[in-house]
Amino acid sequence: MIWEERPMPDQLGYFRDHLEAATESSIRSRRILVLLLATSLLVFIAFWNSRNSGWILTHVQWAQKIEKVLAKTSTSTNSLSDDENLMKKKAGIYQIENVEEAQHFHQKLLDLRAENVLYVRVPILGFAFDINDLGYFGGLALAILLLWLRFALWHERHNLQLCMEEANSGDMKAVYRYLSMRLLLTIPPSLASTEKLERVWRWLARGLFSLPALAYGLVVGYDLLFSDALTYDLWIEVLFFLIVAGLSALAIHILWDIDSVWEKFAVRARQEINGSYRPAPPQLT
């Protein structure tokens, strides 16, 4: 039996395909995450503006009261109540001087609410849907994007694992530093020193992946809170929430696996720097 010596590659040249695959998978995950966060933000803004206590509806109610107060003062000399005096002061803030201006202001606010609150417009795609369908379309969009993200993160973890397994003695430090500069969804451990805030930043990064479930959970919770009964539509929203929350948890779990791979990668790279790394013996022939 003889030992078969494995040829030593020239630094990063041997890993060119591996590094490109790992980098591309990270870029793909990052793009999906950006799209997912934008969708989550759209769902949250649509929900926030449609609340009964939202500012747009509050302005509409104030405009209606201002119109009534100005109509009353133009036809009667009776004293005003405290609430009516407050509305008259708000009329001055809005620079409304008469009933006609109050009616025009009120109608403008109604049009604004109808166009931008009651109907949600999707950027780039160009279509709109009723705010009452936010539970359906929002849950479906987030579920699809999270499923897509799950596959992208799986490939990122797999490609990173392959790079670590294929790296030889002498290449580990260079490969590690190259990947740590290109992959952005994780925070690789520092080879020079242990940074105390690394775990804090990792937790903050994981928080980004919980935002879809949080945004959609607010929509479902609000509908459940102000609904008289559990209708078929609400059951569908609850089902979508369970799917979104489950996929978000799965994505976070894969991220922890990626961190585990980085930890092992960093240990081997530090051993190489210190001269204590010993590669596994070659196979016997």
Side-chain angles (χ1 to χ4, degrees), residues 105-116:
F105 180 65
H106 186 197
Q107 187 60 47
K108 282 291 185 180
L109 287 176
L110 289 174
D111 295 340
L112 178 66
R113 184 170 182 266
E115 293 177 2
N116 298 283

Side-chain angles (χ1 to χ4, degrees), residues 125-252:
L125 299 181
F127 66 87
F129 58 88
D130 192 275
I131 188 62
N132 294 308
D133 293 327
L134 180 64
Y136 284 118
F137 294 123
L140 180 61
L142 292 175
I144 292 175
L145 289 174
L146 280 167
L147 186 62
W148 191 14
L149 180 64
R150 187 269 176 204
F151 289 119
L153 289 175
W154 183 90
H155 281 286
E156 180 178 346
R157 179 186 61 184
H158 179 70
N159 294 337
L160 182 62
Q161 183 74 34
L162 286 178
C163 286
M164 187 185 74
E165 293 175 353
E166 290 293 326
N168 286 326
S169 177
D171 294 322
M172 187 68 64
K173 180 178 67 175
V175 172
Y176 184 92
R177 288 180 174 174
Y178 177 87
L179 289 177
S180 64
M181 291 187 295
R182 302 296 297 272
L183 308 187
L184 299 181
L185 285 180
T186 55
I187 301 177
S190 175
L191 297 181
S193 60
T194 302
E195 186 178 348
K196 295 182 179 180
L197 293 178
E198 282 180 1
R199 294 188 180 275
V200 176
W201 289 115
R202 288 178 186 175
W203 278 102
L204 291 176
R206 301 300 170 267
L208 294 176
F209 292 82
S210 63
L211 292 180
L214 178 60
Y216 189 67
L218 290 174
V219 177
V220 178
Y222 188 84
D223 290 343
L224 289 174
L225 183 62
F226 291 95
S227 178
D228 296 331
L230 286 177
T231 62
Y232 177 79
D233 294 341
L234 287 178
W235 281 113
I236 296 295
E237 290 185 17
V238 172
L239 177 60
F240 270 129
F241 172 73
L242 294 177
I243 294 175
V244 169
L247 290 175
S248 297
L250 183 59
I252 294 175

Side-chain angles (χ1 to χ4, degrees), residues 43-92:
V43 170
F44 175 76
I45 292 176
F47 151 75
W48 193 258
N49 287 336
S50 64
R51 295 172 302 127
N52 293 331
S53 58
W55 276 109
I56 294 182
L57 181 58
T58 300
H59 285 300
V60 171
Q61 294 171 346
W62 285 349
Q64 185 179 12
K65 292 179 180 179
I66 290 172
E67 183 180 346
K68 292 181 179 181
V69 169
L70 293 181
K72 180 179 179 180
T73 55
S74 63
T75 59
S76 174
T77 59
N78 295 333
S79 60
L80 301 177
S81 64
D82 294 339
D83 184 63
E84 290 174 335
N85 284 322
L86 179 61
M87 289 300 105
K88 193 170 183 180
K89 291 180 180 179
K90 288 187 180 296

Side-chain angles (χ1 to χ4, degrees), residues 4 13 21 37 39-40 44 46 97 153 181 194 227 234 256 266 285:
E4 180 181 350
L37 293 179
T39 304
S40 302
F44 175 76
E97 298 179 354
L153 289 175
M181 291 187 295
T194 302
S227 178
L234 287 178
W256 286 119
T285 57

